[in-house]
Amino acid sequence: MQKETIDKLDNYAFHFLEDVEEPFVQLIAVGREARYSSAYHWENSRRNSCYLLQYTLAGSGTVRIGGQEQLVDEGKAFFLKLPGEEGYYFDGEKNRAPWEFLFAMFECHGAERYCREIESHLGQVFSLPREHEAVRLLSQLHVMAREGRARNPFLLSSRAFELLCLLCAAPMGDRDEDASLSARAQRYMRKNFASSIGVADVAAFLKVSQSHLSREFCRETGGKPIDYLTRMRLDRAVDMLMAGEKSVREIGGECGFSGGNYFSKVFKRHMGMTPAAFREYVRREGYSKMQI
């Protein structure tokens, strides 16, 4: 029996006559494909503005980022902002056919920050188990389109935003070696925030200048590395203030602040009250947990 080599496409694009102007997130295409031919080749430099999520179900393909080729095999996804310098394709000599994948393309008028968070948190190429909720939702969106149930722009917008949120919340797992600078910085800060490190220490660990780190971190996440580090420390401090009887000075020291007075000053600036007042407030109100 001759082995099948014909590409299979099951794609759906959306254009809604009734929708709000520039919705928060707008799904513009979804599909499932199986590629056998090296004719499948996308260069992103001249494509329309949107974001692309593509998840490999079977076989493998290649994505080129920063001039480096990466194998995208089963269980791996890539997340790209278009237009860009990246490209992706099926290479008949290097890849395994069929390259079967799910994809979604969406415009993120109001959700740009979420897309940057995904790139910072997971990188542009990352792994997800088949049973992950984001993969399930991506598959559901394709089924909805195939069955003619993807006609409500507001419903699709909410599901597309849910997909972004699931990716933002996905565990990092084993990161690819080419993880972005901001992702590596975040990982280092999460592991070491309880010690008295600063942004200069993070930059030194990553072997870049502090100004370069701050610039790239802001570009990729929309925020400053010092703000990320402070948030890690405050989040732990809030838990400790609610959970026990340690002094403010002790808590500040264990959360990486240089002293009790400095801890109180930073805490009040961000939380609107001193650590002692916060502890009294949450106990009076009966809260068992506060998320910041």
Side-chain angles (χ1 to χ4, degrees):
M1 181 180 294
Q2 185 176 5
K3 189 175 181 180
E4 187 173 15
T5 58
I6 300 175
D7 291 349
K8 293 182 179 180
L9 285 68
D10 190 21
N11 302 331
Y12 305 86
F14 306 100
H15 180 82
F16 301 106
L17 299 181
E18 296 181 2
D19 198 359
V20 297
E21 184 178 354
E22 292 193 352
F24 192 69
V25 183
Q26 184 175 34
L27 187 66
I28 59 177
V30 68
R32 180 168 181 162
E33 298 185 359
R35 294 287 185 172
Y36 296 80
S37 170
S38 295
Y40 179 70
H41 189 122
W42 283 102
E43 292 294 334
N44 294 339
S45 59
R46 296 186 178 181
R47 301 183 70 181
N48 292 336
S49 178
C50 68
Y51 278 88
L52 166 68
L53 171 67
Q54 188 156 307
Y55 179 82
T56 300
L57 299 168
S60 64
T62 299
V63 61
R64 188 191 69 250
I65 298 174
Q68 300 295 318
E69 290 186 338
Q70 298 183 57
L71 182 71
V72 188
D73 54 6
E74 183 176 346
K76 280 193 175 181
F78 57 84
F79 186 77
L80 302 177
K81 183 178 183 179
L82 311 181
E85 297 304 316
E86 302 84 5
Y88 56 98
Y89 34 85
F90 179 79
D91 187 320
E93 296 183 358
K94 297 180 180 179
N95 300 138
R96 181 165 51 89
W99 185 18
E100 186 175 356
F101 53 82
L102 290 161
F103 76 89
M105 304 177 77
F106 31 81
E107 296 178 351
C108 296
H109 303 288
E112 187 78 22
R113 180 69 180 270
Y114 289 82
C115 295
R116 292 199 301 266
E117 173 65 21
I118 293 168
E119 291 178 324
S120 173
H121 177 60
L122 295 175
Q124 291 178 290
V125 180
F126 51 89
S127 298
L128 283 178
R130 186 75 170 260
E131 64 274 12
H132 192 276
E133 292 180 43
V135 179
R136 291 178 180 176
L137 179 52
L138 184 58
S139 179
Q140 290 169 12
L141 286 170
H142 170 251
V143 172
M144 287 173 61
R146 188 181 63 203
E147 296 178 351
R149 296 186 288 113
R151 300 184 181 278
N152 186 312
F154 305 104
L155 174 61
L156 286 184
S157 181
S158 69
R159 301 309 298 275
F161 181 53
E162 182 183 358
L163 179 59
L164 295 181
C165 291
L166 288 171
L167 291 173
C168 286
M172 294 179 67
D174 294 328
R175 297 297 307 272
D176 293 294
E177 292 182 357
D178 65 334
S180 68
L181 181 65
S182 65
R184 287 181 283 135
Q186 289 180 15
R187 180 169 55 191
Y188 181 78
M189 286 187 278
R190 280 195 297 271
K191 290 182 178 179
N192 298 281
F193 71 86
S195 60
S196 56
I197 63 166
V199 176
D201 299 294
V202 181
F205 174 78
L206 296 172
K207 296 181 173 57
V208 297
S209 69
Q210 186 173 339
S211 60
H212 179 70
L213 171 62
S214 296
R215 183 171 56 252
E216 289 300 301
F217 197 96
C218 186
R219 183 183 66 82
E220 294 175 8
T221 71
K224 300 176 181 179
I226 186 59
D227 293 337
Y228 186 88
L229 183 58
T230 299
R231 185 182 183 88
M232 293 294 100
R233 288 169 169 162
L234 289 176
D235 190 55
R236 172 68 65 82
V238 164
D239 287 345
M240 295 181 69
L241 285 165
M242 298 180 72
E245 298 294 338
K246 287 188 176 182
S247 70
V248 169
R249 182 177 180 179
E250 288 176 310
I251 292 174
E254 292 184 23
C255 293
F257 293 96
S258 57
N261 290 337
Y262 178 66
F263 168 48
S264 295
K265 181 179 179 180
V266 173
F267 193 94
K268 185 175 182 179
R269 182 169 70 244
H270 289 276
M271 301 297 294
M273 63 186 81
T274 65
F278 172 81
R279 175 179 272 167
E280 181 181 349
Y281 163 73
V282 294
R283 289 180 176 176
R284 183 176 67 248
E285 297 297 325
Y287 296 133
S288 57
K289 177 71 175 176
M290 179 173 287
Q291 298 179 351
I292 65 170

